[in-house]
C-alpha cells in the first residue's frame, strides 16, 4: 500500500500571515522546512520558527489556535483535526496560513530574520 500526499503549498515564511494556495480537507499533514538563507541562519540573524493556523469559511471567519512549527532537518507528520464543533456544523474544508513565531515580529524589519520555506502536504485517505 502506497501512502499518498497532496501539496497544499510552499511559502517563504515572513513576518505577516500568508495563505497557502490550496485549502485543506485532511486532518493529517506532512510538513517540511527548508532553510533558504544558510548564511543568515548561521550568523546573527533571528532563527525563528513559525506558527500555522487554520481559517474556516463560517460566518464568524473562525481562526484556530496557532500551532508552533520548528525548523527541522526531517519531515514531521502532524495530526491537526478539524474541531468537533466545526465539523458538526459542516465546516471541514479550511485554509492554512503561516507567519514567523518570533517575539520580534512587528518590532524588527523582515531582513533581521533568517529565511526559510514551509511546505505543507495533506494525507490522501
Amino acid at each position: 500500500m502506497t501512502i499518498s500526499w497532496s501539496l497544499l503549498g510552499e511559502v517563504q515564511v515572513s513576518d505577516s500571515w500568508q495563505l497557502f494556495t490550496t485549502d485543506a480537507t485532511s486532518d493529517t499533514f506532512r510538513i517540511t522546512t527548508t532553510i533558504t538563507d544558510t548564511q543568515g541562519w548561521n550568523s546573527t540573524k533571528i532563527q525563528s520558527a513559525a506558527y500555522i493556523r487554520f481559517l474556516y469559511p463560517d460566518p464568524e471567519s473562525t481562526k484556530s489556535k496557532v500551532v508552533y512549527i520548528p525548523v527541522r532537518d526531517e519531515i514531521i507528520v502532524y495530526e491537526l483535526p478539524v474541531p468537533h464543533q466545526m465539523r458538526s456544523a459542516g465546516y471541514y474544508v479550511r485554509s492554512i496560513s503561516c507567519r514567523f513565531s518570533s517575539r520580534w515580529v512587528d518590532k524588527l524589519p523582515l531582513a533581521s530574520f533568517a529565511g526559510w520555506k514551509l511546505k505543507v502536504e495533506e494525507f490522501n485517505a
Side-chain angles (χ1 to χ4, degrees):
M1 181 175 155
T2 303
I3 295 176
S4 178
W5 299 91
S6 295
L7 180 66
L8 297 180
E10 183 172 20
V11 299
Q12 183 76 31
V13 182
S14 76
D15 56 351
S16 60
W17 288 102
Q18 302 174 77
L19 280 173
F20 281 78
T21 54
T22 305
D23 288 343
T25 56
S26 177
D27 290 340
T28 306
F29 301 91
R30 183 167 71 174
I31 296 182
T32 307
T33 57
T34 306
I35 297 170
T36 57
D37 178 12
T38 307
Q39 183 177 354
W41 194 265
N42 295 321
S43 71
T44 58
K45 287 192 174 185
I46 298 168
Q47 299 176 356
S48 180
Y51 288 132
I52 64 169
R53 69 179 177 194
F54 296 97
L55 300 111
Y56 295 90
D58 64 315
E60 291 82 35
S61 299
T62 302
K63 295 177 179 107
S64 71
K65 292 182 179 180
V66 296
V67 177
Y68 180 80
I69 307 293
V71 176
R72 300 266 173 113
D73 290 334
E74 65 273 354
I75 296 169
I76 305 291
V77 174
Y78 292 84
E79 190 68 26
L80 303 168
V82 173
H84 175 72
Q85 68 272 20
M86 296 305 290
R87 192 176 298 278
S88 64
Y91 299 107
Y92 55 90
V93 176
R94 53 197 171 154
S95 301
I96 302 176
S97 63
C98 74
R99 76 166 176 99
F100 283 135
S101 66
S102 175
R103 67 178 181 215
W104 299 109
V105 169
D106 295 331
K107 295 180 179 128
L108 293 174
L110 182 59
S112 303
F113 296 87
W116 62 278
K117 287 186 177 182
L118 177 66
K119 180 168 88 171
V120 178
E121 299 166 284
E122 72 176 352
F123 178 69
N124 296 322

